[in-house]
């Protein structure tokens, strides 16, 4: 099962999830000067990222919007990057945040668990309820796939809805209950079912509640680095069960030195981040 596999990698290597969420200003000058189109630059930079970080990261996350924004050439780059990750033997998380229902959800599942855009795990939005997530579950056993469902996100505006109280509990707490329920319905014997959750801790006050609610859910944790999530808060949630990976995107791929070999800097960043995040499992 995919979440058990991801957990094993996180324990053996580190909880670091490298986010390949590229922008034009992330690309090193050496690559910009060697490749004409942005899509080619993204592919080449991603190839270098994977090559130097594969021994320090448990998985990679690719945000589709970074590539959709560049049209067809961008989507070709997105497809190629996913293929490179999977060919390297790593787990590819497609950050697509889909949330439609019925036949449309089935088409999204097919589009992102098969073919040109195949990934191992997707991010999903459950605002429309179980109809928005259950169509993906057929791929869990058939193709060893999984999904991280948005529960508590790391953006400041998350409080607009996610923090609303319902019967003395926050909405995100109720969502976590449902994620646990859906996971057990699909895979009752799994220690960590293939329905996981996205939980950001940088705007979170209820760490004890989150830890209790997620002890049987595998987590994708955003917000470390550029968004200010603290390592001690992350550790307080996943230390006991070792049930999460921590995404770092801009903090890894952006703001490279203008001089020198960018590969050496990427290696150092990967080593440093992996060392920092291994603390979460001690």
């Amino acid at each position: 099962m995919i979440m058990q596999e991801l957990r094993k990698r996180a324990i053996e290597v580190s909880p670091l999830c490298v986010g390949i969420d590229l922008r034009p200003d992330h690309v090193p000058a050496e690559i910009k000067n060697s490749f004409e189109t942005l899509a080619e630059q993204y592919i080449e930079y991603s190839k270098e990222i994977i090559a130097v970080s594969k021994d320090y990261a448990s998985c990679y996350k690719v945000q589709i919007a970074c590539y959709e924004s560049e049209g067809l050439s961008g989507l070709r780059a997105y497809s190629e990057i996913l293929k490179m990750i999977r060919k390297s033997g790593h787990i590819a998380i497609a950050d697509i945040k889909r949330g439609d229902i019925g036949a449309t959800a089935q088409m999204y599942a097919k589009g992102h668990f098969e073919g040109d855009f195949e990934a191992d795990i997707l991010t999903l939005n459950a605002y429309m309820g179980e109809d928005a997530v259950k169509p993906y579950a057929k791929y869990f056993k058939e193709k060893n796939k999984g999904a991280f469902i948005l529960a508590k996100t790391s953006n400041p505006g998350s409080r607009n809805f996610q923090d609303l109280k319902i019967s003395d509990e926050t909405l995100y707490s109720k969502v976590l209950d449902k994620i646990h329920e859906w996971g057990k319905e699909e895979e009752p014997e799994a220690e960590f079912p293939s329905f996981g959750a996205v939980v950001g801790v940088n705007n979170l006050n209820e760490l004890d509640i989150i830890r209790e609610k997620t002890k049987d859910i595998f987590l994708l944790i955003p917000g470390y680095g550029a968004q200010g999530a603290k390592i001690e808060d992350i550790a307080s949630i996943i230390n006991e069960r070792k049930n999460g990976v921590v995404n770092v995107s801009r903090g890894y791929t952006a703001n490279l030195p203008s001089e020198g070999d960018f590969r050496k800097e990427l290696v150092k960043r990967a080593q440093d981040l992996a060392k920092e995040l291994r603390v979460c499992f001690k």
Side-chain angles (χ1 to χ4, degrees):
M1 295 179 184
I2 192 69
M3 295 303 177
Q4 271 80 270
E5 183 181 341
L6 182 52
R7 180 175 184 260
K8 182 174 183 290
R9 291 171 184 243
I11 293 171
E12 291 178 351
V13 182
S14 85
L16 172 62
C17 170
V18 170
I20 308 182
D21 305 346
L22 301 182
R23 312 290 199 278
D25 61 354
H26 293 190
V27 180
E30 177 185 323
I31 292 176
K32 283 185 177 180
N33 295 333
S34 301
F35 295 87
E36 183 175 351
T37 70
L38 186 60
E40 290 173 324
Q41 294 170 14
Y42 280 174
I43 291 169
E44 185 63 21
Y45 187 28
S46 298
K47 187 186 300 182
E48 297 285 2
I49 289 168
I50 296 164
V52 302
S53 64
K54 62 183 180 180
D55 293 334
Y56 307 100
S58 56
C59 57
Y60 293 86
K61 182 185 76 69
V62 189
Q63 168 53 256
I64 194 172
C66 299
Y67 307 94
E68 285 180 328
S69 63
E70 300 302 325
L72 293 177
S73 64
L75 284 174
R76 281 192 286 271
Y78 173 77
S79 175
E80 185 62 30
I81 292 165
L82 289 174
K83 289 174 183 174
M84 286 192 294
I85 293 167
R86 301 183 75 239
K87 284 179 182 177
S88 75
H90 278 72
I91 290 171
I93 302 170
D95 196 355
I96 61 172
K97 297 183 178 71
R98 298 298 190 256
D100 216 321
I101 60 172
T104 306
Q106 293 172 16
M107 292 298 99
Y108 276 137
K110 182 176 185 293
H112 293 280
F113 280 149
E114 298 181 18
D116 292 337
F117 303 135
E118 182 175 359
D120 300 299
I121 303 175
L122 309 178
T123 57
L124 301 177
N125 187 336
Y127 190 78
M128 295 175 76
E130 69 178 298
D131 302 336
V133 299
K134 283 298 185 77
Y136 297 84
K138 74 182 289 287
Y139 289 90
F140 293 175
K141 292 181 181 178
E142 290 179 9
K143 298 195 69 177
N144 191 30
K145 303 299 187 183
F148 285 116
I149 299 172
L150 303 178
K152 176 58 177 171
T153 56
S154 58
N155 59 301
S158 67
R159 65 176 66 92
N160 293 157
F161 299 117
Q162 295 166 24
D163 290 359
L164 294 177
K165 290 295 182 72
I166 302 171
S167 302
D168 296 324
E169 285 193 276
T170 58
L171 176 57
Y172 72 75
S173 179
K174 296 284 189 182
V175 171
L176 285 168
D177 287 340
K178 275 296 179 185
I179 292 170
H180 180 263
E181 177 185 319
W182 293 333
K184 287 301 182 182
E185 286 174 358
E186 295 296 330
E187 298 163 319
E189 304 302 318
E191 182 179 9
F192 295 104
S194 299
F195 277 128
V198 177
V199 173
V201 302
N202 55 324
N203 289 307
L204 199 58
N205 296 317
E206 300 173 318
L207 292 173
D208 290 342
I209 293 174
I210 286 286
R211 183 167 54 252
E212 179 63 26
K213 293 278 186 179
T214 62
K215 63 183 180 181
D216 298 317
I217 301 172
F218 202 81
L219 305 177
L220 173 62
I221 302 174
Y224 185 66
Q227 291 176 295
K230 297 177 181 177
I231 193 75
E232 56 267 29
D233 290 341
I234 296 171
S236 74
I237 292 175
I238 63 174
N239 174 265
E240 183 178 349
R241 295 281 279 157
K242 297 177 174 56
N243 60 319
V245 291
V246 182
N247 182 72
V248 181
S249 297
R250 283 173 290 169
Y252 185 70
T253 62
N255 300 314
L256 291 169
S258 57
E259 297 181 359
D261 187 347
F262 72 88
R263 297 167 190 85
K264 290 182 179 179
E265 175 64 19
L266 289 178
V267 170
K268 183 179 185 302
R269 290 184 184 186
Q271 291 173 334
D272 290 347
L273 286 165
K275 183 178 179 180
E276 291 169 21
L277 293 172
R278 286 190 193 108
V279 172
C280 295
F281 284 176
K282 290 182 178 179

